[in-house]
Amino acid sequence: DHHLVDGDHCKRCLAVSTAAGQIAALAIGICIVCGLAWTVFKMESWRKKPCIGPLLRLADRAVTFSYGIGLIPKSKVLLGFYQICIVLSTTYSVRLPERYTSWTDKVSEAVSIDWSGFFLPTQCLPYWSRLVAVSISPVGVIALLLLAGVGLRLHQRRLASAPRPLPWHAEAALGL
């Protein structure tokens, strides 16, 4: 019911429902911001405006540049390499030189973020609750992305001209 703050005084824990509401509000807020950014990026007439036009043209150049140098496949290879390097010593139970483990430990500490600690301190939730939340969160992100894909596909269908080749449920299935 209480947790230590900076090791010297106690603070009352938030209710789990309040933390869940904060997480849901953050997820909805991120979806709204991404939707607004996508809408602004698609507006061709805004590229000539002096206030937002240069930023949109810069985004166009960045996308063109990233596709030109193949940034997406390279970042996937880099991510796979990172994932293998981080678990190499624990997977094979070998002692690796300090020269190798020092940089992998630093990278691992820099990248691993306990997002659940942002909303509720560690002392406020039992371990099993935190474990369930952390292990279910990727499934939630995937479900959110699937729903966004279906919504985008149905939105494009609504904007299309009258003779539509597929019924709405087929369009929704293609969005998956």
Side-chain angles (χ1 to χ4, degrees), residues 81-82 85-86 98-109:
F81 177 75
Y82 160 76
C85 286
I86 294 303
E98 180 67 29
R99 197 170 127 193
Y100 173 79
T101 57
S102 65
W103 74 266
T104 57
D105 290 342
K106 288 177 187 173
V107 170
S108 179
E109 287 176 20

Short mmCIF file of all heavy atoms in Angstrom, two decimals, residues 81-82 85-86 98-109:
data_model
loop_
_atom_site.label_atom_id
_atom_site.label_comp_id
_atom_site.label_asym_id
_atom_site.label_seq_id
_atom_site.Cartn_x
_atom_site.Cartn_y
_atom_site.Cartn_z
N PHE A 81 21.27 -8.96 -34.75
CA PHE A 81 22.62 -9.10 -34.23
C PHE A 81 22.68 -8.72 -32.76
O PHE A 81 23.28 -9.43 -31.95
CB PHE A 81 23.59 -8.23 -35.05
CG PHE A 81 25.00 -8.26 -34.54
CD1 PHE A 81 25.79 -9.36 -34.77
CD2 PHE A 81 25.51 -7.19 -33.83
CE1 PHE A 81 27.10 -9.40 -34.30
CE2 PHE A 81 26.81 -7.21 -33.36
CZ PHE A 81 27.61 -8.32 -33.59
N TYR A 82 22.02 -7.64 -32.40
CA TYR A 82 21.98 -7.20 -31.01
C TYR A 82 21.32 -8.26 -30.13
O TYR A 82 21.82 -8.59 -29.06
CB TYR A 82 21.23 -5.87 -30.90
CG TYR A 82 20.72 -5.58 -29.53
CD1 TYR A 82 21.59 -5.16 -28.53
CD2 TYR A 82 19.38 -5.75 -29.20
CE1 TYR A 82 21.13 -4.92 -27.25
CE2 TYR A 82 18.92 -5.51 -27.93
CZ TYR A 82 19.80 -5.09 -26.96
OH TYR A 82 19.34 -4.86 -25.70
N CYS A 85 23.75 -11.19 -29.67
CA CYS A 85 24.92 -10.85 -28.86
C CYS A 85 24.60 -10.72 -27.37
O CYS A 85 25.40 -11.10 -26.53
CB CYS A 85 25.54 -9.54 -29.34
SG CYS A 85 26.43 -9.71 -30.87
N ILE A 86 23.43 -10.21 -27.05
CA ILE A 86 23.08 -9.98 -25.65
C ILE A 86 22.90 -11.30 -24.90
O ILE A 86 23.28 -11.43 -23.75
CB ILE A 86 21.81 -9.11 -25.55
CG1 ILE A 86 22.11 -7.72 -26.08
CG2 ILE A 86 21.29 -9.03 -24.14
CD1 ILE A 86 23.23 -7.00 -25.39
N GLU A 98 36.09 -10.31 -20.65
CA GLU A 98 35.55 -9.07 -20.08
C GLU A 98 35.42 -7.99 -21.15
O GLU A 98 34.51 -7.17 -21.11
CB GLU A 98 36.47 -8.60 -18.95
CG GLU A 98 36.02 -7.34 -18.28
CD GLU A 98 34.73 -7.50 -17.50
OE1 GLU A 98 34.45 -8.61 -17.02
OE2 GLU A 98 33.99 -6.50 -17.39
N ARG A 99 36.31 -8.02 -22.13
CA ARG A 99 36.26 -7.04 -23.21
C ARG A 99 34.95 -7.15 -23.99
O ARG A 99 34.41 -6.15 -24.46
CB ARG A 99 37.45 -7.31 -24.13
CG ARG A 99 37.78 -6.18 -25.04
CD ARG A 99 39.10 -6.47 -25.70
NE ARG A 99 38.90 -6.34 -27.13
CZ ARG A 99 39.72 -6.75 -28.04
NH1 ARG A 99 40.82 -7.36 -27.70
NH2 ARG A 99 39.46 -6.57 -29.30
N TYR A 100 34.43 -8.35 -24.12
CA TYR A 100 33.16 -8.57 -24.82
C TYR A 100 31.97 -8.27 -23.92
O TYR A 100 31.04 -7.57 -24.30
CB TYR A 100 33.08 -10.00 -25.34
CG TYR A 100 31.74 -10.36 -25.93
CD1 TYR A 100 31.40 -9.95 -27.20
CD2 TYR A 100 30.80 -11.06 -25.19
CE1 TYR A 100 30.17 -10.25 -27.74
CE2 TYR A 100 29.56 -11.37 -25.72
CZ TYR A 100 29.26 -10.96 -26.99
OH TYR A 100 28.05 -11.24 -27.52
N THR A 101 31.98 -8.81 -22.71
CA THR A 101 30.81 -8.67 -21.84
C THR A 101 30.62 -7.26 -21.33
O THR A 101 29.49 -6.87 -21.00
CB THR A 101 30.90 -9.64 -20.64
OG1 THR A 101 32.11 -9.38 -19.93
CG2 THR A 101 30.85 -11.07 -21.11
N SER A 102 31.66 -6.47 -21.28
CA SER A 102 31.50 -5.10 -20.76
C SER A 102 30.62 -4.27 -21.69
O SER A 102 29.70 -3.58 -21.24
CB SER A 102 32.85 -4.42 -20.56
OG SER A 102 33.50 -4.26 -21.80
N TRP A 103 30.85 -4.35 -22.99
CA TRP A 103 30.02 -3.54 -23.90
C TRP A 103 28.64 -4.12 -24.07
O TRP A 103 27.66 -3.37 -24.23
CB TRP A 103 30.72 -3.30 -25.24
CG TRP A 103 30.77 -4.47 -26.18
CD1 TRP A 103 31.77 -5.38 -26.30
CD2 TRP A 103 29.78 -4.85 -27.14
NE1 TRP A 103 31.46 -6.30 -27.26
CE2 TRP A 103 30.25 -6.00 -27.80
CE3 TRP A 103 28.54 -4.32 -27.51
CZ2 TRP A 103 29.54 -6.64 -28.79
CZ3 TRP A 103 27.83 -4.96 -28.50
CH2 TRP A 103 28.33 -6.10 -29.13
N THR A 104 28.48 -5.46 -24.04
CA THR A 104 27.14 -6.02 -24.16
C THR A 104 26.30 -5.70 -22.93
O THR A 104 25.10 -5.46 -23.04
CB THR A 104 27.19 -7.54 -24.40
OG1 THR A 104 27.89 -8.16 -23.34
CG2 THR A 104 27.79 -7.87 -25.73
N ASP A 105 26.93 -5.70 -21.75
CA ASP A 105 26.19 -5.33 -20.54
C ASP A 105 25.75 -3.87 -20.58
O ASP A 105 24.64 -3.54 -20.19
CB ASP A 105 27.04 -5.58 -19.30
CG ASP A 105 27.24 -7.06 -19.02
OD1 ASP A 105 26.46 -7.87 -19.57
OD2 ASP A 105 28.18 -7.39 -18.28
N LYS A 106 26.62 -3.00 -21.06
CA LYS A 106 26.27 -1.57 -21.15
C LYS A 106 25.12 -1.35 -22.15
O LYS A 106 24.20 -0.59 -21.88
CB LYS A 106 27.48 -0.75 -21.56
CG LYS A 106 28.52 -0.62 -20.47
CD LYS A 106 29.73 0.14 -20.95
CE LYS A 106 30.82 0.11 -19.90
NZ LYS A 106 32.07 0.69 -20.38
N VAL A 107 25.18 -2.02 -23.28
CA VAL A 107 24.12 -1.89 -24.28
C VAL A 107 22.82 -2.46 -23.74
O VAL A 107 21.74 -1.87 -23.90
CB VAL A 107 24.53 -2.58 -25.60
CG1 VAL A 107 23.36 -2.67 -26.55
CG2 VAL A 107 25.67 -1.83 -26.25
N SER A 108 22.90 -3.59 -23.06
CA SER A 108 21.70 -4.21 -22.50
C SER A 108 21.05 -3.33 -21.45
O SER A 108 19.83 -3.19 -21.41
CB SER A 108 22.06 -5.56 -21.90
OG SER A 108 20.93 -6.16 -21.33
N GLU A 109 21.84 -2.71 -20.59
CA GLU A 109 21.28 -1.81 -19.58
C GLU A 109 20.68 -0.56 -20.20
O GLU A 109 19.68 -0.04 -19.72
CB GLU A 109 22.36 -1.42 -18.57
CG GLU A 109 22.74 -2.54 -17.64
CD GLU A 109 23.88 -2.16 -16.72
OE1 GLU A 109 24.12 -0.94 -16.55
OE2 GLU A 109 24.54 -3.06 -16.19
#
